[in-house]
């Protein structure tokens, strides 16, 4: 008896159970607007977001991120300009790029100009000047204004031509010397030395290495990005086909679950185990095949970071790591299935009930497509705005010099630099394009606008997701609380629920998504700060950042869980966000054991379904893009990194599968909360009948021993209602 009173007290500390209300028939129709202040704030923020986009589009220029820029700040290869055919960037003196300042300013202190093709022969200005044909060729790499009667001293004094031309090749649309290796000695052409055109006729070819190295380090990240971009341009239609296949497979799974829920769930469980098992087998075969291959035993630590990621697949340790990771995942899944085998049977039955609800509300299956469309618009707007903001700076010109100069690295104007005092003080200096920047108010607050762009992206994306959750919750709640199914289900329940959500609860949606967005932006800031402080190697700071990141990750997961259930309560009762979140949390805590053992097991089974779809489509994409199957060798596109489309298809497949399976997940969560309220409101008698189906009663009555409300004053189990005993 005391133990039962203690259970009852513990049960009631999370609020009083719902009382019987004969007028309650499901989602309330007569409701008012909620969280109006947050609604107004959200509208103002979105209008400000639009204003930021317009400002960015008027100031930005994406060409700055695409085309190489010469010393005048002009774009090489820009369509419609006089440089349209001059796509390559040529350095007058590549050896000046050996300066350590290049890595700080991201600009070589030498004249750079746009050319049609890189030099293919070695010659100096002095030698070329003596041959008319050679000089005409040489002038294609000189500035405008070079005349045949000027003389080489005057040409070099005015910096109109480079002192020498070196055979070069195009790399990331820039001309770099074609260096070779002969007997362990660096060569240019077939010679180990070269004439620099400035009086030194036997400079070693290795002097060019530092300049090339620094210039390529500056462009290394851009090179990888350009290659990835090229891979996307060559494979985008195959990626779309892969995503369409993922959508069709997801839709097929959902439709089959309507009729064969139990069979499909067991098929998903077995198939996931088999797919991961095949992955382990494939990794082992690759690991075994590389045995004895030259360089295959190099460790990943020794290999370091390589921009050509295919190199890692030629190392045995890579496949060993993949095999171990997959084996651990396989063992975890099998152990979970063993320990949760009884609850899995209950979860399968709950998914069957969700299938019945979806059968009566078929349009809910296609609602994720609308969510995808809205999210695609949000992502596209954020990406375009980010690009325009990052390229909205003005060209900045700096004084570049070889000898000591008091004006070195100062800002200059190339239009009048030849007559400027700085040029008189430093005769050998030049005013060259350095980078994009600016000193106006707009440029000073540019980082703030980028932050605002990221924050509004999170807020809008979370708002779209929240709208989908509340819309589906309202539709499935109207199914549950219908006394006679499907006769009492309202017409077009999904559209009716979305209309109520937007008309009355835009503020609540904005409130919940705002809280989540603040946490997400804090996580982004923590990642940024940790990256900035990584060079300090402070163990205490590193530990604190790890702890903070872990705490905010847990907090984000909790807020997502709370928001999801709060939106269900808002959809049913029409109250504000805080009241709904409190009611949902109290209801969950009064039924915490059911939530833990039934609802979460259902989420786990649906997650396995997503993994299976990703595995099926991902394996198909791997064999297609990697060219491992001879039938696809001629069809598959030629790529720099074949993992780019594979990874894109895998991530896209998961998002698509998540979108379709989220309908089931939302249906299960809504039915579960409604079931818990139904148990509190009603007792199964003729006066207070349950709204749940007899199947759902049979499923979840097994957990009634954990519910103090289902025990009498002696702590004994209450008898089930008459109709349920008859069914038994």
């Amino acid at each position: 008896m005391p133990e039962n009173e203690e259970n009852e007290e513990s049960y009631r500390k999370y609020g009083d159970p719902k009382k019987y209300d004969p007028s309650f028939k499901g989602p309330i129709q007569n409701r008012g607007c909620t969280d109006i202040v947050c609604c107004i704030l959200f509208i103002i923020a979105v209008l400000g977001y639009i204003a930021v986009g317009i400002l960015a589009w008027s100031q930005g220029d994406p060409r700055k991120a695409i085309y190489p820029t010469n010393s005048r700040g002009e774009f090489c290869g820009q369509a419609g300009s006089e440089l349209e055919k001059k796509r390559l960037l040529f350095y007058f003196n590549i050896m000046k790029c050996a300066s350590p300042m290049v890595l700080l300013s991201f600009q070589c202190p030498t004249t750079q100009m746009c050319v049609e093709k890189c030099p293919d022969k070695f010659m100096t200005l002095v030698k070329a000047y003596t041959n008319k044909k050679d000089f005409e060729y040489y002038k294609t790499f000189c500035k405008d204004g070079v005349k045949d009667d000027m003389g080489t001293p005057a040409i070099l004094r005015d910096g109109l031509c480079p002192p020498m031309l070196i055979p070069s090749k195009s790399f990331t649309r820039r001309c770099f010397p074609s260096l070779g290796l002969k007997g362990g000695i660096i060569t240019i052409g077939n010679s180990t030395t070269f004439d620099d055109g400035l009086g030194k006729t036997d400079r070693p070819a290795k002097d060019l290495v530092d300049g090339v190295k620094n210039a390529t380090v500056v462009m290394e990240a851009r090179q990888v990005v350009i290659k990835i971009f090229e891979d996307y341009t060559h494979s985008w239609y195959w990626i779309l086909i892969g995503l369409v296949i993922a959508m069709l497979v997801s839709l097929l799974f959902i439709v089959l679950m309507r009729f064969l829920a139990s069979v499909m769930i067991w098929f998903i469980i077995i198939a996931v185990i088999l797919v991961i098992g095949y992955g382990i087998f494939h990794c082992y075969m690759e690991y075994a095949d590389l045995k004895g291959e030259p360089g295959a035993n190099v460790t990943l630590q020794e290999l370091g970071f390589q921009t050509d990621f295919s190199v890692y697949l030629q190392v045995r340790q890579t496949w060993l790591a993949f095999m171990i990771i997959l084996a651990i995942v396989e063992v975890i899944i099998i152990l979970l299935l063993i320990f949760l085998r009884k609850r899995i049977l209950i979860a399968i039955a709950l998914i069957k009930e969700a299938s019945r609800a979806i059968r009566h509300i078929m349009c809910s299956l296609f609602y994720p497509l609308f969510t995808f469309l809205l999210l695609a618009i949000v992502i596209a707007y954020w990406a375009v705005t980010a690009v325009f903001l990052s390229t909205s700076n003005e060209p900045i010109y700096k004084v570049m010099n070889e000898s000591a100069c008091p004006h070195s690295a100062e800002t200059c104007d190339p239009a009048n630099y030849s007559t400027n005092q700085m040029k008189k003080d430093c005769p050998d200096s030049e005013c060259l394009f350095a980078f994009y920047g600016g000193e106006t108010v707009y440029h000073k607050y540019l980082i703030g606008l980028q932050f605002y762009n990221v924050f509004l992206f999170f807020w809008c994306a979370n708002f779209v997701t929240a709208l989908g959750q509340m819309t589906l919750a309202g539709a499935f709640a109207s199914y549950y609380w219908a006394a006679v199914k499907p006769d009492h289900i309202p017409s077009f329940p999904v559209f009716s629920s979305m209309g109520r959500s937007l008309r009355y609860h835009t503020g609540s949606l904005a409130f919940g998504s705002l809280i989540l967005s603040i946490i997400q932006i804090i996580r982004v800031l923590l990642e940024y700060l940790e990256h900035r402080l990584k060079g300090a190697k402070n163990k205490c700071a590193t530990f604190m950042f790890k702890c903070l990141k872990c705490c905010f990750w847990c907090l984000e997961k909790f807020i997502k869980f709370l928001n999801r259930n709060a939106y269900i309560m808002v959809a049913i009762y029409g109250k504000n966000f805080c009241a709904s979140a409190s009611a949902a949390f109290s209801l969950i805590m009064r039924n915490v054991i059911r939530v833990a053992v039934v609802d979460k097991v259902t989420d786990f089974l649906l997650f396995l379904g997503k993994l299976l779809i990703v595995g099926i489509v991902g394996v198909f994409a791997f064999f297609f893009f990697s060219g491992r199957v001879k039938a696809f060798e001629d069809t598959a596109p030629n790529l720099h990194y074949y993992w780019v489309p594979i990874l894109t298809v895998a991530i896209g497949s998961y998002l698509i599968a998540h979108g379709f399976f989220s309908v089931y997940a939302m249906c299960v969560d809504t039915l579960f909360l409604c079931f818990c309220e139904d148990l509190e409101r009603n007792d199964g008698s003729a006066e207070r009948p349950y709204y749940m189906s007899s199947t759902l009663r049979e499923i979840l009555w097994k957990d009634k021993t954990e519910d103090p409300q289902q025990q009498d004053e002696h702590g004994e189990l209450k008898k089930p209602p008459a109709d349920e005993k008859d069914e038994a």
Side-chain angles (χ1 to χ4, degrees), residues 624-662:
F624 178 80
F625 289 109
S626 64
R628 300 294 179 93
V629 180
K630 292 183 178 180
F632 298 142
E633 283 182 346
D634 297 330
T635 309
N638 188 19
L639 305 172
H640 297 289
Y641 310 122
Y642 67 78
W643 56 264
V644 170
I646 294 174
L647 195 60
T648 304
V649 169
I651 295 174
S653 299
Y654 180 82
L655 294 176
I656 290 172
H658 176 74
F660 281 101
F661 278 85
S662 65

Side-chain angles (χ1 to χ4, degrees), residues 587-652:
L587 181 61
I588 290 170
M589 293 306 297
R590 292 198 297 268
N591 298 271
V592 65
I593 297 178
R594 285 197 180 99
V595 172
V597 300
V598 177
D599 194 37
K600 296 300 111 184
V601 173
T602 306
D603 290 343
F604 172 68
L605 294 180
L606 295 178
F607 174 71
L608 291 183
K610 301 171 195 175
L611 284 186
L612 178 60
I613 292 173
V614 172
I616 292 173
V617 180
V619 168
F620 174 78
F622 173 77
F623 283 113
F624 178 80
F625 289 109
S626 64
R628 300 294 179 93
V629 180
K630 292 183 178 180
F632 298 142
E633 283 182 346
D634 297 330
T635 309
N638 188 19
L639 305 172
H640 297 289
Y641 310 122
Y642 67 78
W643 56 264
V644 170
I646 294 174
L647 195 60
T648 304
V649 169
I651 295 174

Side-chain angles (χ1 to χ4, degrees), residues 363-364 366-372 374-375 460-476 493-495 497-499 501-502 505 509 513 563-564 567-568 571 659 662-667 670:
C363 57
S364 63
F366 301 97
Y367 186 84
L369 298 178
F370 178 68
T371 301
F372 287 148
L374 292 181
L375 284 176
C460 292
N462 289 326
F463 180 88
V464 170
T465 303
L467 175 62
Q469 292 174 346
M470 187 179 292
T471 297
L472 292 175
F476 292 128
V494 173
F495 293 104
S497 179
M498 184 170 66
S501 300
L502 290 174
H505 307 303
L509 293 170
S513 54
N563 281 6
R564 185 183 182 89
Y567 296 143
I568 295 174
S662 65
V663 176
Y664 261 89
M666 200 68 209
C667 183
T670 304

Side-chain angles (χ1 to χ4, degrees), residues 345-493:
L345 297 176
I346 298 175
I348 289 174
L350 189 58
I351 291 175
K352 280 185 180 180
E353 185 65 22
S355 298
R356 294 190 183 93
I358 292 174
R359 182 178 62 191
H360 294 299
I361 311 176
M362 277 297 295
C363 57
S364 63
L365 287 178
F366 301 97
Y367 186 84
L369 298 178
F370 178 68
T371 301
F372 287 148
L373 176 62
L374 292 181
L375 284 176
I377 294 173
V378 171
I379 293 171
Y381 186 89
W382 163 77
V384 172
T385 303
V387 170
F388 275 86
L389 281 174
S390 61
T391 59
S392 59
N393 292 314
E394 299 172 345
I396 301 298
Y397 299 87
K398 297 284 187 179
V399 175
M400 304 287 184
N401 58 287
E402 294 184 32
S403 59
C405 176
H407 306 293
S408 179
E410 290 185 11
T411 304
C412 58
D413 183 3
N416 59 2
Y417 187 72
S418 59
T419 58
N420 194 285
Q421 183 62 39
M422 290 188 288
K423 179 68 173 176
K424 296 177 181 178
D425 295 341
C426 308
D428 64 338
S429 66
E430 293 183 87
C431 183
L432 302 178
F433 168 77
F435 54 85
Y436 288 102
E439 301 296 331
T440 65
V441 175
Y442 170 76
H443 295 103
K444 287 181 179 179
Y445 292 99
L446 198 57
I447 186 66
L449 295 178
Q450 285 282 24
F451 178 84
Y452 187 77
N453 182 38
V454 174
F455 179 73
L456 261 292
F457 164 70
F458 282 131
W459 197 358
C460 292
N462 289 326
F463 180 88
V464 170
T465 303
L467 175 62
Q469 292 174 346
M470 187 179 292
T471 297
L472 292 175
F476 292 128
S478 64
Y479 160 83
Y480 184 92
W481 296 107
V484 181
K485 303 174 179 62
D487 297 341
H488 291 180
I489 299 176
S491 302
F492 307 108

Side-chain angles (χ1 to χ4, degrees), residues 240-262:
L240 286 180
I241 292 174
L243 296 180
V244 169
I245 292 173
M247 186 175 67
L248 294 176
V249 172
S250 301
L251 191 58
L252 177 63
F253 268 65
I254 295 296
V255 172
L256 288 176
M257 284 177 67
R258 270 190 55 203
F259 306 101
L260 304 168
S262 179

Side-chain angles (χ1 to χ4, degrees), residues 26-41:
I28 295 172
Q29 301 299 321
N30 296 326
R31 57 179 72 195
C33 296
T34 57
D35 299 302
I36 299 175
V37 174
C38 203
C39 177
I40 296 172
L41 181 64

